Amino acid sequence: AQHNDEQMIILVCNSSQALDNELVDSIKEEIPNVVSIVQNINQKKTNVILGEKQIVLYGHDYYQDNIFDLKFKISSKSFFQVNSDQTEVLYKTALDFANIQKSDVVLDAYSGIGTISLMMAREAKHVYGVEIVKDAVIMAKENAKLNDLDNVSFVEDKAEDFIRKYVKEKSLDVLLVDPPRKGLHQDFIESVIESKVNRFVYVSCNPKTLVRDLSLLKEHYQVEKVQCVDMFPQTLHVESVALLQRKSNK
């Protein structure tokens, strides 16, 4: 954590045997501010780093960090941007683009542990955070309680399924997405077009899939502006925030 000095150590092993206490003690001695030591078991030969099984060797299976003045519990399986300083720049840009009003109902797709959802909840009437990973939804609900925010609901579901069910009865004012590098699924894009949501903010970690997805949306949405944010200086990676506005004749 960059803002409160807590540290989590995750040891990824291909053996299911728990590591001995001597190693744990040596880590605690070397790193006094460590609050969590977790052994992750991954016996598969893939490019996926973390396996399904966890053994907590010390502390809890989470640490805490702050973004702006919000507190977040982050588990070992949760995604969280590692550059907290630039994360604030990235999310501030997304919030500025969203231009959320007090009467707005907002959907945060791919909401993870609720980072952006909770920031938007302070501005909106209500925010729905939709995430397919169960552990992330549990953590997001804890983070809402941690920050005393009760106008946000976290749902375990596919975002496209939630959108279709929701807009049958109600309307959405703002949609924000922050997908993985593979970008948006075709079915999700179709659900967005069907929803007729007016303001659409797309946070992307992969310019290639961003361009692909924007081209699929261009018949119905106008790209108003795009801002790049350098999350990892001296690398080729860049995050982008795009603001899309629904075309009036669509």
Side-chain angles (χ1 to χ4, degrees):
Q2 288 183 248
H3 290 133
N4 64 11
D5 209 31
E6 291 187 359
Q7 292 198 25
M8 167 185 278
I9 306 294
I10 304 173
L11 304 166
V12 182
C13 306
N14 62 9
S15 171
S16 59
Q17 182 177 349
L19 298 172
D20 58 40
N21 292 331
E22 186 177 343
L23 175 60
V24 174
D25 290 340
S26 65
I27 292 174
K28 289 162 59 179
E29 183 177 348
E30 186 70 24
I31 309 173
N33 56 329
V34 67
V35 297
S36 174
I37 303 175
V38 178
Q39 180 182 356
N40 179 274
I41 313 299
N42 188 357
Q43 296 176 319
K44 296 180 180 179
K45 294 183 178 180
T46 69
N47 63 351
V48 177
I49 296 172
L50 298 179
E52 292 298 319
K53 186 178 179 182
Q54 305 274 102
I55 302 173
V56 178
L57 303 175
Y58 171 72
H60 303 282
D61 185 19
Y62 64 84
Y63 70 101
Q64 291 194 55
D65 201 358
N66 293 25
I67 297 292
F68 299 115
D69 57 345
L70 291 172
K71 305 170 187 174
F72 293 94
K73 282 186 178 180
I74 306 140
S75 71
S76 59
K77 288 185 178 180
S78 299
F79 172 79
F80 194 73
Q81 296 280 7
V82 296
N83 186 343
S84 296
D85 290 336
Q86 282 297 87
T87 298
E88 292 189 350
V89 175
L90 177 68
Y91 291 167
K92 177 67 165 56
T93 303
L95 288 170
D96 288 346
F97 280 19
N99 189 28
I100 297 169
Q101 307 299 307
K102 287 295 182 183
S103 59
D104 284 343
V105 176
V106 183
L107 172 63
D108 177 13
Y110 308 90
S111 55
I113 63 169
T115 318
I116 304 180
S117 298
L118 298 185
M119 295 176 189
M120 294 192 295
R122 297 192 297 184
E123 308 294 333
K125 179 180 179 181
H126 199 90
V127 175
Y128 292 92
V130 183
E131 172 60 58
I132 199 169
V133 179
K134 183 176 182 178
D135 288 345
V137 174
I138 293 171
M139 191 65 61
K141 290 178 178 179
E142 288 190 25
N143 286 329
K145 291 179 181 178
L146 188 64
N147 291 282
D148 297 320
L149 290 167
D150 58 7
N151 65 328
V152 56
S153 303
F154 291 103
V155 182
E156 182 187 346
D157 201 352
K158 287 184 176 179
E160 55 266 35
D161 291 345
F162 179 87
I163 289 173
R164 289 191 170 107
K165 287 181 285 189
Y166 183 88
V167 298
K168 284 181 180 179
E169 301 179 1
K170 304 175 185 178
S171 61
L172 290 170
D173 299 297
V174 181
L175 169 65
L176 185 142
V177 298
D178 186 5
R181 293 188 62 78
K182 63 183 179 181
L184 301 176
H185 191 279
Q186 177 67 38
D187 196 32
F188 178 85
I189 291 175
E190 291 172 4
S191 73
V192 172
I193 294 170
E194 293 168 16
S195 75
K196 298 185 178 181
V197 64
N198 281 322
R199 290 200 305 287
F200 180 8
V201 178
Y202 189 151
V203 180
S204 170
C205 60
N206 185 351
K208 185 176 180 179
T209 53
L210 175 63
V211 170
R212 179 201 68 195
D213 293 343
L214 294 184
S215 68
L216 295 173
L217 288 158
K218 67 181 180 180
E219 183 180 343
H220 297 269
Y221 285 90
Q222 174 70 38
V223 178
E224 298 289 333
K225 51 186 173 181
V226 180
Q227 175 65 56
C228 294
V229 178
D230 191 0
M231 296 291 290
F232 304 102
Q234 301 183 49
T235 75
L236 54 81
H237 298 289
V238 66
E239 298 260 346
S240 305
V241 183
L243 173 62
L244 290 76
Q245 191 75 32
R246 190 171 184 85
K247 294 182 178 179
S248 58
N249 60 338
K250 295 294 181 178

